[in-house]
Amino acid sequence: MKKIHGTLWLLLIGIVLYTCLQIYLIGSLCSTYDFIGKFQRSDTIQRLEYKFAVYKFPDSIPRDVSELERRKIPNIFYYVFCSSVRNHTFTFHHYLSVISVWRNFEPDSIEINYKGAITQDKYNIWLDELKLKIPSLIVKEMPDYWMMNDGCASSYGIAVLRDRGGVFVSSDVVLTKHSLSHMDIPFSLIVDYNNNIKVVFSTPQHSDLNYIKITSSLRYVNSKQNFSSIANKCYEYRKNVFEYSRSHCMVVISNLLPKDLFAATTSQDNYLYHLYTGKRTVRMGNDTHAISGNCDVDVQYAKHIPKIVHYIWFHAVKLTYAMYLSLISTLYIVKPDKIYIHSDLHIHGDYWEKLKNNPKIILVYRETPRTIFGHMVKYSTHGSDIVRADILFKYGGVYLDWDVIWLKSIDDLLTSGFPAIANYDHMVATVTFPSQINLGVAMAKPRSKFIQKWQEAFVNYKTDDFYYNALQLPYQIFERNPELLHIEDKLQVMCFRLKCHPIFHKDHRDWTRKQPFDWHHVYSIHFTYPDPPEFKSESVLLKSTVMFADIGRHVLSHSPDKDDKVL
C-alpha cells in the first residue's frame, strides 16, 4: 500500500513539473525581450530556430506617460491620395503603412485625404478593415478648389502641417517605434536613400516647412540647415539591411501581398508579417510556423493603478471657481504624481493663472474628436468620452469631470489591485436598462480590458443618443464581463439640481428628493447640474453655511495657498 501511495505521489509531482515546464516554455515564446536562441519542443523533439529578434509594438504594452510631457508634435497623422490619376486603389502596402502608424504611435487621429476616389474591389478591402480597427481613422475628400495633379498630395500635406501641425506620411512608408523620437523635436524629416522626403514631422507654422520643395518627390532645400541633423534614413524593402534595434522606417513596394511574407526569410518580412498578423514567424526545417505575439492578452502590466489624473476640456473656457476647487482637491487631497489636462489649449482666467505654473499640472494638446469609427461626434461631452477611453487605455490612471471634488484620499483604491474601478449612476435613462455606469469618475490600469472593450464597442457608436455611449454601453460591457470592473459605491456621490443621491442609499433612484449621507465617508462628490451657488467665488463660499460650503472649505483647508485668495 505504501508503495502504491508513493507511486501516486511521484506521478502527481511529475504531472505538476510537466505542467510548469509547459507554462515556462509558452512564457518563453511570449517574452518581451529581444532574443535569438533555440528551443527544443518536448512533444516533437524538433528544434525551432528563431531567426529574428522579437519586436514589441508599443500598442501591446502600456505607453510611457512621460511622452505626454515631451511630445512637441501634435499626435495627428496625414495621408494624401491625390495625383493626375483620378481613382486610387487602396492596396495591401497602404494598409501596412497606416497600421504601422497606428500600432507604433496610437495617434489622436489618422486622416486619409483623397482627391477623386479611393476604390476597393472584392480583394482589396484593406481600407474597410482599417475602419474597423482604428477608432480615430478619418477618411475625407479634399476641398474642391485643390487641383488634381502629380504634386497636389505633397502640397496639401505641407499645407495641413502649416495649419495644424502633425506628421505627413508617404503612403508607401512603414514606420517603426524608433521614429517615435521624432515627436519630441519641433521639426524633422525621414528620407529615402535618394534623399526624397518620406515623412515630415512639424509643429504648426514651423519655418522649415518653407524650405520643402513641392513636387511629386519632396525635397528639402534649406542651405542654412544641416540636413543630416534633422533627417533619418528610411530603408528600402529588400535593398537595405533592416534592423529592429535602429530602423525608423521602410519603403515598401506597391505589389506586395500577404503571401509574400509567409516565408519570412528576412527581418523585413518578419517585421511586416508581425505587423500584419500580430504574430511572428519561426522557421522549422523548410516550413514556416507562426507563433502568437499576443500571449500577453490577459497580462496585468501594472500592479497598481497609476497615481496620475486626467482632465479633458475642449473649446475656450474661463476657469470657474468650481473648476478651481476641483483642481485644488486633486492637487492636495489626491496628491497625484501629475495632472494631465487634455485640451485644445483655450483655458484662461484668474484662477487658471493661479495654477498654470504648478509643476504637477501638464497641458496636453488634443484636437476635439470629430468622428469615431466613421460616426460623427455630435455632442461635445461625447468627445470627452472618446478621449477618456483612449487615454485611460494607453496610460491608465484616474479620470474625473470638472464638476467633481475629491473629499478624501484614494490611495486604497489605487493599490487595491482592481484593473478598473467605477460606480453606478444614480438614475437610468430608460426603463429597459436595469442600471447605468457613470464614468464621470473612473480609474484603470493601463491596457485595462474593460476600457478596451468600451473603446472597441464605439464601432456601433450612436451619434444621436446622448446617454447610450457614455452610460448604458459601459453597463452592458460590465454585465458581460463583471470580472473586468470593480463597482465602488462610494467612489462618487452624484448631485442633480443640488440634491444628492448616493447609490448606497435605498432611495437613490428618486432624484426628485435628496437622500442624507455623511460626505466625510465618500471619495468624491459630483455636481452633474448645476454647480452649487456657494461655488461662485471664495468670498461667497466663506459666507455660506450649507453642506456644499462645508465641502468647499474642507478642500481649501488642504491647500497650502489657502491664504492667497483669488476673489
Side-chain angles (χ1 to χ4, degrees):
M1 183 62 72
K2 289 183 179 180
K3 289 184 178 181
I4 293 175
H5 282 294
T7 302
L8 290 175
W9 273 110
L10 288 173
L11 179 61
L12 180 60
I13 292 171
I15 292 172
V16 171
L17 290 174
Y18 178 80
T19 303
C20 291
L21 176 63
Q22 295 301 309
I23 293 172
Y24 168 77
L25 294 176
I26 293 171
S28 297
L29 293 178
C30 303
S31 171
T32 62
Y33 299 101
D34 288 355
F35 68 96
I36 299 175
K38 292 183 178 181
F39 158 59
Q40 185 172 359
R41 288 181 51 175
S42 58
D43 55 342
T44 62
I45 318 299
Q46 290 180 296
R47 290 187 179 275
L48 299 181
E49 185 175 356
Y50 293 95
K51 297 290 186 182
F52 315 111
V54 177
Y55 183 95
K56 198 70 175 179
F57 284 94
D59 74 328
S60 64
I61 55 177
R63 299 198 74 89
D64 181 0
V65 72
S66 68
E67 72 180 5
L68 295 176
E69 302 174 48
R70 299 192 314 265
R71 195 165 59 208
K72 302 291 191 303
I73 305 294
N75 198 19
I76 308 166
F77 284 69
Y78 309 99
Y79 290 87
V80 184
F81 289 84
C82 173
S83 69
S84 56
V85 179
R86 177 162 293 277
N87 296 329
H88 311 271
T89 302
F90 197 91
T91 62
F92 179 58
H93 84 295
H94 297 137
Y95 172 89
L96 288 175
S97 179
V98 177
I99 207 68
S100 74
V101 166
W102 175 247
R103 296 207 63 188
N104 287 298
F105 291 80
E106 294 182 278
D108 300 346
S109 63
I110 301 176
E111 292 189 6
I112 296 178
N113 302 273
Y114 65 92
K115 188 76 175 176
I118 295 180
T119 62
Q120 296 190 97
D121 51 42
K122 289 182 180 179
Y123 176 76
N124 289 298
I125 58 172
W126 304 109
L127 184 57
D128 283 343
E129 289 196 19
L130 288 172
K131 289 177 180 178
L132 295 176
K133 285 179 181 288
I134 302 175
S136 59
L137 183 68
I138 299 170
V139 181
K140 64 177 185 178
E141 190 168 7
M142 292 161 59
D144 292 337
Y145 56 78
W146 218 269
M147 300 301 293
M148 181 175 287
N149 55 61
D150 286 336
C152 79
S154 301
S155 57
Y156 187 82
I158 300 304
V160 173
L161 291 183
R162 285 196 183 99
D163 183 36
R164 296 162 59 194
V167 187
F168 173 53
V169 186
S170 175
S171 61
D172 61 351
V173 167
V174 169
L175 291 170
T176 76
K177 63 186 177 186
H178 301 292
S179 53
L180 282 165
S181 60
H182 290 264
M183 300 297 284
D184 305 336
I185 308 168
F187 179 85
S188 61
L189 307 169
I190 302 181
V191 300
D192 64 17
Y193 276 79
N194 294 314
N195 287 337
N196 298 310
I197 297 174
K198 289 299 181 179
V199 190
V200 183
F201 298 79
S202 181
T203 54
Q205 300 298 328
H206 197 282
S207 59
D208 275 296
L209 290 172
N210 299 322
Y211 295 102
I212 293 180
K213 185 177 180 182
I214 306 295
T215 63
S216 56
S217 297
L218 292 177
R219 292 281 183 157
Y220 186 70
V221 293
N222 185 359
S223 59
K224 296 180 181 179
Q225 172 66 275
N226 181 1
F227 182 77
S228 62
S229 67
I230 62 169
N232 282 101
K233 292 292 185 182
C234 195
Y235 294 76
E236 295 186 30
Y237 181 67
R238 291 189 175 174
K239 288 185 179 180
N240 312 107
V241 177
F242 177 81
E243 299 180 33
Y244 290 106
S245 60
R246 66 180 68 182
S247 301
H248 287 260
C249 67
M250 168 194 328
V251 179
V252 291
I253 55 178
S254 59
N255 60 351
L256 187 69
L257 294 172
K259 66 181 181 64
D260 299 326
L261 307 176
F262 292 167
T265 57
T266 68
S267 58
Q268 289 176 326
D269 287 342
N270 192 62
Y271 173 76
L272 294 176
Y273 183 84
H274 189 16
L275 175 67
Y276 169 50
T277 65
K279 305 171 183 177
R280 67 183 188 276
T281 59
V282 176
R283 301 288 296 172
M284 185 169 67
N286 293 323
D287 298 324
T288 299
H289 295 258
I291 291 186
S292 173
N294 299 321
C295 302
D296 53 3
V297 68
D298 291 318
V299 172
Q300 288 296 327
Y301 295 100
K303 184 178 181 181
H304 301 143
I305 295 172
K307 200 173 184 179
I308 57 176
V309 173
H310 304 280
Y311 286 90
I312 298 169
W313 189 273
F314 297 116
H315 312 305
V317 62
K318 183 177 181 180
L319 198 75
T320 66
Y321 188 63
M323 297 168 74
Y324 172 78
L325 283 176
S326 178
L327 269 173
I328 289 295
S329 73
T330 300
L331 275 169
Y332 302 118
I333 294 178
V334 171
K335 300 179 181 179
D337 298 329
K338 289 290 174 66
I339 298 173
Y340 296 99
I341 301 177
H342 305 261
S343 167
D344 49 7
L345 309 185
H346 295 297
I347 303 174
H348 61 96
D350 291 339
Y351 293 116
W352 177 243
E353 291 297 319
K354 183 175 172 64
L355 290 175
K356 71 177 185 179
N357 294 323
N358 189 300
K360 283 194 172 185
I361 297 177
I362 309 297
L363 271 178
V364 180
Y365 177 75
R366 183 92 185 214
E367 286 190 349
T368 307
R370 291 169 287 166
T371 64
I372 181 73
F373 283 116
H375 303 285
M376 182 183 70
V377 178
K378 185 174 182 179
Y379 300 105
S380 59
T381 54
H382 284 185
S384 173
D385 297 329
I386 291 165
V387 175
R388 183 181 330 177
D390 181 60
I391 58 180
L392 285 178
F393 180 59
K394 291 178 186 174
Y395 306 105
V398 181
Y399 167 83
L400 72 154
D401 288 345
W402 284 93
D403 47 11
V404 173
I405 289 179
W406 296 106
L407 303 174
K408 68 174 186 174
S409 170
I410 58 173
D411 286 354
D412 58 330
L413 296 179
L414 299 179
T415 59
S416 64
F418 294 118
I421 302 173
N423 72 338
Y424 295 122
D425 197 21
H426 65 290
M427 61 175 75
V428 289
T430 65
V431 294
T432 58
F433 263 82
S435 191
Q436 298 177 158
I437 288 178
N438 189 301
L439 296 176
V441 181
M443 308 177 181
K445 294 180 180 180
R447 304 301 183 188
S448 153
K449 290 300 170 185
F450 175 80
I451 300 297
Q452 181 183 22
K453 288 180 178 294
W454 180 39
Q455 185 181 48
E456 291 173 346
F458 284 151
V459 71
N460 296 315
Y461 177 88
K462 300 183 186 302
T463 296
D464 295 312
D465 195 318
F466 188 81
Y467 297 102
Y468 176 75
N469 307 291
L471 298 168
Q472 297 166 347
L473 180 58
Y475 178 77
Q476 285 184 316
I477 295 170
F478 170 66
E479 272 194 334
R480 291 156 176 76
N481 307 274
E483 74 283 0
L484 299 182
L485 179 69
H486 171 68
I487 298 295
E488 172 53 61
D489 60 7
K490 292 184 179 180
L491 180 62
Q492 58 175 327
V493 170
M494 283 149 284
C495 303
F496 178 62
R497 293 180 178 172
L498 306 180
K499 298 180 178 67
C500 297
H501 312 285
I503 63 169
F504 49 82
H505 195 288
K506 61 183 179 64
D507 298 321
H508 71 271
R509 290 283 178 84
D510 183 2
W511 54 268
T512 63
R513 290 184 293 177
K514 64 181 180 181
Q515 289 92 40
F517 73 104
D518 186 346
W519 59 266
H520 296 87
H521 295 157
V522 299
Y523 292 97
S524 70
I525 190 163
H526 186 174
F527 302 100
T528 57
Y529 177 83
D531 290 338
E534 294 79 16
F535 291 177
K536 183 178 180 180
S537 69
E538 190 165 314
S539 60
V540 173
L541 174 66
L542 296 176
K543 294 174 184 176
S544 304
T545 58
V546 298
M547 181 183 75
F548 297 150
D550 291 340
I551 287 173
R553 285 192 289 270
H554 170 73
V555 172
L556 291 178
S557 70
H558 286 78
S559 170
D561 305 322
K562 51 182 174 291
D563 295 327
D564 183 14
K565 296 183 175 63
V566 178
L567 304 179

